[in-house]
Amino acid sequence: MSRQPSILITGAGGEIGHGLIDRLFHMSDRPIITLDLNPLEKAIAGQVRKEFVGSILDTQLLERINAEYEVDQVFHLAALLSTRSEFSPALAHKVNVEGTLNLLEFAQKEGESHGRDVLFFYPSSIAAYGLPDDVTKKQAGRVKEDEFNQPTTMYGANKLYCEHLGRYYDRHFRQLSAGPKLGKVDFRCIRFPGLISAATVPSGGTSDYVPEMIHAAAQGQPYACFVRSDARIPFMAMPDAVTAILMLTAANKAKLTRCVYNIGAFAPSAGEVESLVRKAFPVANIVYKLDEKRAGIVDSWPADVDDTAARVDWGLNPQFDLRTAFDEYLVPTIRKRYS
Ligand code: AKB
């Protein structure tokens, strides 16, 4: 137990969680509590005060965490990603929406208990967008947050709805009650592009073709890319994604003009990534084996996003562009990982 202000990270064992735990461990004075379906890898388990292995759907477990800890920062990363969600849409709704509602209720109750607002970070996605066809996608170019909000996947629909849920808890919670504002949730959200980590390989996503291609080449394994070579969506190197989370959650609330922000760094085609992979790993065995349906999901996502609001409101400034992401982060780090 601890009455010390603490951080709760759900889905802590996932791709974003790996990078976030390490950064928070070294920069925050708050102990980290984690909740994940699976035990954490040893490399990060030593950086957390308490590791709960369980589900975000287990409300009794959340009540136990509520009773034992004084959480005032929640990073709710647990989710079923887009491809996996298409095979189990009802389960995806349960985990992605009911699970998120559970965590928003947890944060509200924590805030009522210790009296302070609870910072709640929520990772949304470019999957919240739905571009109807290639011509519209090309004409739309860098999409703003309030454009084309018609997702074609269960995951995208879940993410878009949970953005609205978070805004409700932040701005309108129990608005008909008498007396002062009752809401205790300080909801902040980033719509992530595809993320590329040197430390982990994603699973269950549809933007996975880029990290999968790189990690396969580094291991000398063949890779069959399931999208066309001209498929294009925005991506970001994982260190920049974690930095963006830390910048948004540290920002002065008064400076934030919205709850949900686009962020972007580079928007390569699959073919442009392939060229950089072949340059780094000349013996790479990469072929294209189109999966029309998965490629259709990628085609519905924007070619790029307009992240002006993030740059103006809280200083988003990614360090890696496509070339430096490969030369300075991905290739040297991944080579070391598999050497
Ligand atoms: C996915 O592919 O589902 C995720 C995402 C883009 O949100 N990586």
Side-chain angles (χ1 to χ4, degrees):
M1 289 189 66
S2 163
R3 298 324 305 174
Q4 185 184 356
S6 304
I7 294 169
L8 173 65
I9 303 177
T10 71
E15 284 217 283
I16 297 176
H18 264 77
L20 183 61
I21 287 174
D22 186 56
R23 295 278 289 278
L24 285 172
F25 176 75
H26 287 99
M27 65 171 282
S28 174
D29 57 356
R30 288 174 169 80
I32 300 171
I33 318 299
T34 62
L35 172 57
D36 197 294
L37 283 175
N38 304 303
L40 296 178
E41 282 181 22
K42 289 214 176 346
I44 51 175
Q47 296 179 324
V48 309
R49 172 70 60 86
K50 171 71 177 174
E51 176 185 348
F52 288 95
V53 179
S55 168
I56 57 175
L57 299 176
D58 183 345
T59 50
Q60 287 184 332
L61 176 54
L62 291 173
E63 281 164 20
R64 179 186 157 198
I65 298 171
N66 188 300
E68 293 184 8
Y69 295 91
E70 187 172 302
V71 173
D72 63 359
Q73 293 185 2
V74 176
F75 295 83
H76 173 45
L77 308 179
L80 263 60
L81 298 184
S82 55
T83 290
R84 179 138 178 244
S85 295
E86 285 310 299
F87 290 107
S88 313
L91 175 63
H93 176 90
K94 209 165 183 57
V95 172
N96 294 340
V97 176
E98 292 179 28
T100 299
L101 181 60
N102 287 349
L103 267 298
L104 286 165
E105 279 292 305
F106 168 89
Q108 176 62 27
K109 290 188 175 74
E110 280 280 9
E112 290 168 359
S113 162
H114 55 59
R116 302 186 305 279
D117 279 2
V118 176
L119 173 79
F120 191 106
F121 175 75
Y122 179 72
S124 185
S125 160
I126 53 173
Y129 294 108
L131 281 293
D133 53 58
D134 277 354
V135 171
T136 307
K137 175 167 177 169
K138 283 194 177 65
Q139 284 172 347
R142 302 181 75 224
V143 168
K144 288 184 170 60
E145 284 89 351
D146 301 328
E147 297 176 324
F148 300 103
N149 297 154
Q150 293 170 340
T152 64
T153 61
M154 172 57 94
Y155 169 77
N158 298 160
K159 286 296 181 181
L160 189 61
Y161 173 59
C162 288
E163 292 175 9
H164 292 295
L165 264 187
R167 188 181 300 106
Y168 166 77
Y169 273 79
D170 184 292
R171 298 182 180 177
H172 311 294
F173 182 74
R174 289 175 55 190
Q175 59 197 290
L176 298 184
S177 302
K181 176 175 177 286
L182 295 174
K184 305 300 279 184
V185 176
D186 173 1
F187 181 80
R188 304 186 188 195
C189 171
I190 287 174
R191 274 194 195 143
F192 283 111
L195 298 180
I196 319 171
S197 169
T200 54
V201 185
S203 66
T206 318
S207 65
D208 296 358
Y209 60 92
V210 163
E212 286 174 348
M213 189 190 292
I214 301 167
H215 281 267
Q219 298 174 83
Q221 292 169 357
Y223 184 68
C225 182
F226 57 81
V227 298
R228 285 178 297 273
S229 63
D230 65 353
R232 188 181 300 274
I233 54 173
F235 281 90
M236 179 177 275
M238 185 62 79
D240 278 335
V242 174
T243 299
I245 294 172
L246 298 174
M247 291 178 75
L248 172 57
T249 51
N252 175 354
K253 183 82 171 179
K255 296 242 190 292
L256 303 183
T257 58
R258 48 185 317 119
C259 287
V260 178
Y261 288 90
N262 278 341
I263 65 170
F266 45 88
S269 68
E272 287 161 357
V273 172
E274 177 201 351
S275 304
L276 287 166
V277 172
R278 289 185 184 283
K279 186 172 147 227
F281 305 102
V283 296
N285 174 359
I286 301 168
V287 297
Y288 287 87
K289 190 168 174 249
L290 183 63
D291 177 332
E292 286 280 357
K293 293 177 178 171
R294 287 184 85 188
I297 291 176
V298 170
D299 291 344
S300 76
W301 294 348
D304 203 351
V305 289
D306 180 330
D307 55 15
T308 304
R311 291 173 188 269
V312 169
D313 287 6
W314 46 273
L316 171 73
N317 179 29
Q319 297 310 297
F320 294 111
D321 60 23
L322 179 61
R323 187 187 58 73
T324 55
F326 266 80
D327 295 349
E328 298 170 19
Y329 168 58
L330 292 166
V331 174
T333 314
I334 288 178
R335 274 213 178 101
K336 207 181 299 172
R337 171 188 163 93
Y338 295 119
S339 65

